[in-house]
Each structure stands twice: as C-alpha cells, then as structure tokens.
Amino acid sequence: MQLSTIASPVQTPTPWPAAGGSTGGVRLLAAYDSLFREGDETTAFYEVLTGAVRAYKIFPDGRRQIVAFAFAGDIVGFCQGDTYRFDCDALTTTRVRVIHKKSLLHAMRERPELAEKLLDVARGEVETLQDLSLLLCRKTAIERIASFLLTMARKSANPLAERLALPMCRADIADYLGLTIETVSRNMTRLRTLRIIDLPDRGSFQVRSMERLRQLAECDGNTH
C-alpha cells in the first residue's frame, strides 16, 4: 500500500527582492545545526527557503522557552538589537538565504519596497508575540494545543490534507506552549478521542473537524 503524502506546514516563499548585494548566498543546515546563538553580533537575518527552525531562550536554571517556529517564507533574526536575543537552530534539513544587515540598510534607501517588506515582517513578529502572550496567560492546556495545531494547519497549502507535518517533537511543542511533555501528549490524545484530529504518527497529524478545532482554539464554548 502506498503511503499518503505528508503536506508540509509551509508555503512557497515569496522571492526576496534583489538588493544589490544584500544577500550573502544560501546556507544548508542539518537538523539541530545552529543558525545563530544568543549574544552573537547581529550581522544578518535569514529567509527560510525550505525546512523549519526554532528560536528559543535558555534560562540560567536550564529551563527552555521556545519563542517561535519559522518555515519557508519566514524571516528569522529580524527585530534584534546589536546582538541576537535568542538561540536559533534547525528542526530538519533546512536551507536559508542570508541577508546581510548593513548592505540591506543601504539598499532600503534605494528600494522602498524592501522597507515595506521589512515592515510586514516586523508586524508579523509583533502579532506572533501578542498571540503567544495571550495563549500562555489565558488559555487552558487543550486550548493552547488546539491553537497551535490550528496555526500549523493554516500554514499548509492544504489544511485538510490527510497528513500534515509536525517537524517539531513533543518537547518542542511543550516548551513553546508552556506545558509539560506529558500534558501535551495527554491532550493530543484527548483531541484524537474527540475526533477533532487524528495522529497517523509522531511526525504528522490530520484535522478531522476544522470547525471544532477552531472553536476550541478561540475559546468558543465547550467541545464535547
């Protein structure tokens, strides 16, 4: 029997406008290769071409908070100061386009559309952090997981595909949502029992009821 195709939770990236030398080529990262580390000088930011990366903060006591996942078409390393504020590494084999900070600032003065694109990136980062703050502060565990899976489904070109990729492990999801691994696993099983999602394997999921997933993610009444 032929295995069904897994729909990747990414969209085809919009080509970054040519900026007269602002790009520094393409980097290929294996899974868990570092893109940049907290405290490194902010010399560039990166457009994800294929694959996925995670940005996270390690606290002095060893705890980890993942602040973002990025997929094809996303920009990472933007909205930083003189140094990066987070660590960032690849979840899977990943290709990124390097965009040098200094040369792009020069190009922005000549190409207004570059500034517009960066404003879109900045607005997206603010919205993502606002959503994460709301999720961590107000939502229950199952609502957090429903919100996360809904976001992943919406990133796919086909949200109702038989299998949607989950390139991150349960520990990554837990550290993003502020939960334990056990709580993530238990509530994903609960969503499957409620026939809202299916879990073909640990690296993918299927949405069986998009409306019920949306209602749960948006705290729109109880889901039975």
Side-chain angles (χ1 to χ4, degrees):
M1 181 176 64
Q2 184 178 6
L3 292 176
S4 57
T5 301
I6 299 179
S8 176
V10 298
Q11 298 176 346
T12 302
T14 301
W16 189 271
S22 64
T23 59
V26 173
R27 285 181 59 184
L28 177 64
L29 304 173
Y32 308 118
D33 279 356
S34 173
L35 184 57
F36 55 79
R37 293 296 184 197
E38 180 182 2
D40 289 349
E41 183 182 0
T42 310
T43 58
F45 46 96
Y46 306 88
E47 180 183 17
V48 181
L49 301 177
T50 60
V53 302
R54 61 187 176 187
Y56 57 92
K57 173 83 173 181
I58 301 292
F59 294 98
D61 62 3
R63 288 178 297 165
R64 181 183 69 161
Q65 176 66 52
I66 293 182
V67 297
F69 297 106
F71 306 96
D74 292 335
I75 304 295
V76 294
F78 192 58
C79 295
Q80 307 284 317
D82 293 332
T83 60
Y84 295 111
R85 294 180 292 118
F86 308 110
D87 292 322
C88 184
D89 59 24
L91 287 168
T92 63
T93 300
T94 299
R95 292 170 59 249
V96 298
R97 177 180 290 119
V98 182
I99 304 168
H100 292 301
K101 181 178 176 181
K102 290 183 178 179
S103 55
L104 184 61
L105 291 174
H106 174 75
M108 284 172 57
R109 290 191 284 267
E110 301 176 355
R111 300 282 303 280
E113 67 271 23
L114 295 180
E116 292 177 6
K117 186 173 180 70
L118 290 178
L119 283 174
D120 287 341
V121 172
R123 180 167 54 248
E125 290 209 5
V126 170
E127 291 174 352
T128 297
L129 290 175
Q130 288 175 338
D131 289 343
L132 182 60
S133 176
L134 176 64
L135 181 150
L136 293 176
C137 293
R138 303 300 299 173
K139 292 190 176 184
T140 65
I142 197 167
E143 289 168 350
R144 297 182 196 187
I145 294 168
S147 297
F148 176 75
L149 294 177
L150 183 64
T151 298
M152 294 295 294
R154 286 174 171 172
K155 285 181 175 291
S156 172
N158 182 10
L160 297 178
E162 185 174 348
R163 297 171 74 195
L164 297 169
L166 272 179
M168 64 289 296
C169 64
R170 298 294 190 264
D172 289 333
I173 296 173
D175 287 349
Y176 180 68
L177 299 179
L179 302 170
T180 65
I181 300 174
E182 293 77 11
T183 299
V184 169
S185 297
R186 182 171 62 250
N187 281 280
M188 290 187 75
T189 299
R190 183 182 172 194
L191 289 172
R192 181 177 61 184
T193 301
L194 292 169
R195 300 180 65 84
I196 296 175
I197 66 169
D198 199 3
L199 299 169
D201 54 55
R202 292 189 67 84
S204 67
F205 73 104
Q206 178 188 9
V207 179
R208 304 189 67 175
S209 175
M210 185 64 72
E211 180 60 21
R212 294 175 69 198
L213 186 66
R214 182 197 64 77
Q215 288 177 350
L216 191 55
E218 296 177 0
C219 312
D220 184 12
N222 294 323
T223 298
H224 301 285

PDB file of all heavy atoms in Angstrom, residues 39-51:
ATOM      1  N   GLY A  39      23.560  36.348  21.976  1.00  0.00           N
ATOM      2  CA  GLY A  39      24.784  37.103  22.257  1.00  0.00           C
ATOM      3  C   GLY A  39      25.674  37.307  21.052  1.00  0.00           C
ATOM      4  O   GLY A  39      26.573  38.163  21.081  1.00  0.00           O
ATOM      5  N   ASP A  40      25.467  36.525  19.968  1.00  0.00           N
ATOM      6  CA  ASP A  40      26.230  36.751  18.738  1.00  0.00           C
ATOM      7  C   ASP A  40      25.885  38.119  18.154  1.00  0.00           C
ATOM      8  O   ASP A  40      24.743  38.589  18.265  1.00  0.00           O
ATOM      9  CB  ASP A  40      25.912  35.678  17.691  1.00  0.00           C
ATOM     10  CG  ASP A  40      26.483  34.317  18.044  1.00  0.00           C
ATOM     11  OD1 ASP A  40      27.292  34.244  18.986  1.00  0.00           O
ATOM     12  OD2 ASP A  40      26.108  33.338  17.366  1.00  0.00           O
ATOM     13  N   GLU A  41      26.842  38.737  17.500  1.00  0.00           N
ATOM     14  CA  GLU A  41      26.585  40.013  16.843  1.00  0.00           C
ATOM     15  C   GLU A  41      25.556  39.832  15.727  1.00  0.00           C
ATOM     16  O   GLU A  41      25.608  38.873  14.959  1.00  0.00           O
ATOM     17  CB  GLU A  41      27.885  40.576  16.260  1.00  0.00           C
ATOM     18  CG  GLU A  41      27.710  41.948  15.607  1.00  0.00           C
ATOM     19  CD  GLU A  41      29.000  42.467  15.002  1.00  0.00           C
ATOM     20  OE1 GLU A  41      30.022  41.762  15.099  1.00  0.00           O
ATOM     21  OE2 GLU A  41      28.977  43.577  14.418  1.00  0.00           O
ATOM     22  N   THR A  42      24.613  40.759  15.670  1.00  0.00           N
ATOM     23  CA  THR A  42      23.565  40.698  14.649  1.00  0.00           C
ATOM     24  C   THR A  42      24.111  41.246  13.336  1.00  0.00           C
ATOM     25  O   THR A  42      24.013  42.438  13.049  1.00  0.00           O
ATOM     26  CB  THR A  42      22.324  41.501  15.083  1.00  0.00           C
ATOM     27  OG1 THR A  42      21.948  41.120  16.397  1.00  0.00           O
ATOM     28  CG2 THR A  42      21.163  41.273  14.134  1.00  0.00           C
ATOM     29  N   THR A  43      24.687  40.372  12.544  1.00  0.00           N
ATOM     30  CA  THR A  43      25.262  40.795  11.263  1.00  0.00           C
ATOM     31  C   THR A  43      24.331  40.498  10.089  1.00  0.00           C
ATOM     32  O   THR A  43      24.504  41.055   9.007  1.00  0.00           O
ATOM     33  CB  THR A  43      26.597  40.078  11.017  1.00  0.00           C
ATOM     34  OG1 THR A  43      26.382  38.660  11.041  1.00  0.00           O
ATOM     35  CG2 THR A  43      27.619  40.463  12.081  1.00  0.00           C
ATOM     36  N   ALA A  44      23.352  39.622  10.301  1.00  0.00           N
ATOM     37  CA  ALA A  44      22.473  39.223   9.199  1.00  0.00           C
ATOM     38  C   ALA A  44      21.171  38.697   9.771  1.00  0.00           C
ATOM     39  O   ALA A  44      21.066  38.385  10.957  1.00  0.00           O
ATOM     40  CB  ALA A  44      23.146  38.146   8.348  1.00  0.00           C
ATOM     41  N   PHE A  45      20.154  38.639   8.914  1.00  0.00           N
ATOM     42  CA  PHE A  45      18.989  37.837   9.228  1.00  0.00           C
ATOM     43  C   PHE A  45      18.734  36.920   8.046  1.00  0.00           C
ATOM     44  O   PHE A  45      19.445  36.972   7.049  1.00  0.00           O
ATOM     45  CB  PHE A  45      17.767  38.682   9.622  1.00  0.00           C
ATOM     46  CG  PHE A  45      17.484  39.850   8.747  1.00  0.00           C
ATOM     47  CD1 PHE A  45      16.556  39.743   7.719  1.00  0.00           C
ATOM     48  CD2 PHE A  45      18.096  41.073   8.953  1.00  0.00           C
ATOM     49  CE1 PHE A  45      16.262  40.821   6.914  1.00  0.00           C
ATOM     50  CE2 PHE A  45      17.811  42.165   8.138  1.00  0.00           C
ATOM     51  CZ  PHE A  45      16.893  42.035   7.121  1.00  0.00           C
ATOM     52  N   TYR A  46      17.746  36.044   8.183  1.00  0.00           N
ATOM     53  CA  TYR A  46      17.692  34.893   7.289  1.00  0.00           C
ATOM     54  C   TYR A  46      16.262  34.629   6.811  1.00  0.00           C
ATOM     55  O   TYR A  46      15.316  34.682   7.599  1.00  0.00           O
ATOM     56  CB  TYR A  46      18.219  33.650   8.017  1.00  0.00           C
ATOM     57  CG  TYR A  46      19.593  33.847   8.602  1.00  0.00           C
ATOM     58  CD1 TYR A  46      19.752  34.365   9.884  1.00  0.00           C
ATOM     59  CD2 TYR A  46      20.741  33.542   7.864  1.00  0.00           C
ATOM     60  CE1 TYR A  46      21.014  34.567  10.426  1.00  0.00           C
ATOM     61  CE2 TYR A  46      21.998  33.740   8.398  1.00  0.00           C
ATOM     62  CZ  TYR A  46      22.130  34.252   9.672  1.00  0.00           C
ATOM     63  OH  TYR A  46      23.387  34.464  10.202  1.00  0.00           O
ATOM     64  N   GLU A  47      16.146  34.319   5.530  1.00  0.00           N
ATOM     65  CA  GLU A  47      14.874  33.898   4.970  1.00  0.00           C
ATOM     66  C   GLU A  47      14.896  32.376   4.835  1.00  0.00           C
ATOM     67  O   GLU A  47      15.787  31.808   4.198  1.00  0.00           O
ATOM     68  CB  GLU A  47      14.655  34.522   3.593  1.00  0.00           C
ATOM     69  CG  GLU A  47      13.327  34.106   2.961  1.00  0.00           C
ATOM     70  CD  GLU A  47      13.140  34.667   1.557  1.00  0.00           C
ATOM     71  OE1 GLU A  47      14.143  35.098   0.947  1.00  0.00           O
ATOM     72  OE2 GLU A  47      12.003  34.677   1.085  1.00  0.00           O
ATOM     73  N   VAL A  48      13.922  31.711   5.458  1.00  0.00           N
ATOM     74  CA  VAL A  48      13.840  30.261   5.361  1.00  0.00           C
ATOM     75  C   VAL A  48      13.321  29.890   3.973  1.00  0.00           C
ATOM     76  O   VAL A  48      12.250  30.340   3.556  1.00  0.00           O
ATOM     77  CB  VAL A  48      12.915  29.681   6.440  1.00  0.00           C
ATOM     78  CG1 VAL A  48      12.868  28.161   6.340  1.00  0.00           C
ATOM     79  CG2 VAL A  48      13.389  30.098   7.833  1.00  0.00           C
ATOM     80  N   LEU A  49      14.087  29.087   3.257  1.00  0.00           N
ATOM     81  CA  LEU A  49      13.694  28.647   1.913  1.00  0.00           C
ATOM     82  C   LEU A  49      12.989  27.297   1.962  1.00  0.00           C
ATOM     83  O   LEU A  49      11.960  27.102   1.320  1.00  0.00           O
ATOM     84  CB  LEU A  49      14.927  28.579   1.003  1.00  0.00           C
ATOM     85  CG  LEU A  49      15.697  29.888   0.825  1.00  0.00           C
ATOM     86  CD1 LEU A  49      16.941  29.654  -0.032  1.00  0.00           C
ATOM     87  CD2 LEU A  49      14.816  30.966   0.205  1.00  0.00           C
ATOM     88  N   THR A  50      13.564  26.362   2.693  1.00  0.00           N
ATOM     89  CA  THR A  50      12.942  25.053   2.909  1.00  0.00           C
ATOM     90  C   THR A  50      13.273  24.606   4.327  1.00  0.00           C
ATOM     91  O   THR A  50      14.267  25.033   4.917  1.00  0.00           O
ATOM     92  CB  THR A  50      13.466  23.982   1.923  1.00  0.00           C
ATOM     93  OG1 THR A  50      14.896  23.836   2.099  1.00  0.00           O
ATOM     94  CG2 THR A  50      13.185  24.373   0.479  1.00  0.00           C
ATOM     95  N   GLY A  51      12.435  23.719   4.866  1.00  0.00           N
ATOM     96  CA  GLY A  51      12.694  23.213   6.204  1.00  0.00           C
ATOM     97  C   GLY A  51      12.034  24.057   7.280  1.00  0.00           C
ATOM     98  O   GLY A  51      11.062  24.771   7.036  1.00  0.00           O
TER      99      GLY A  51
END
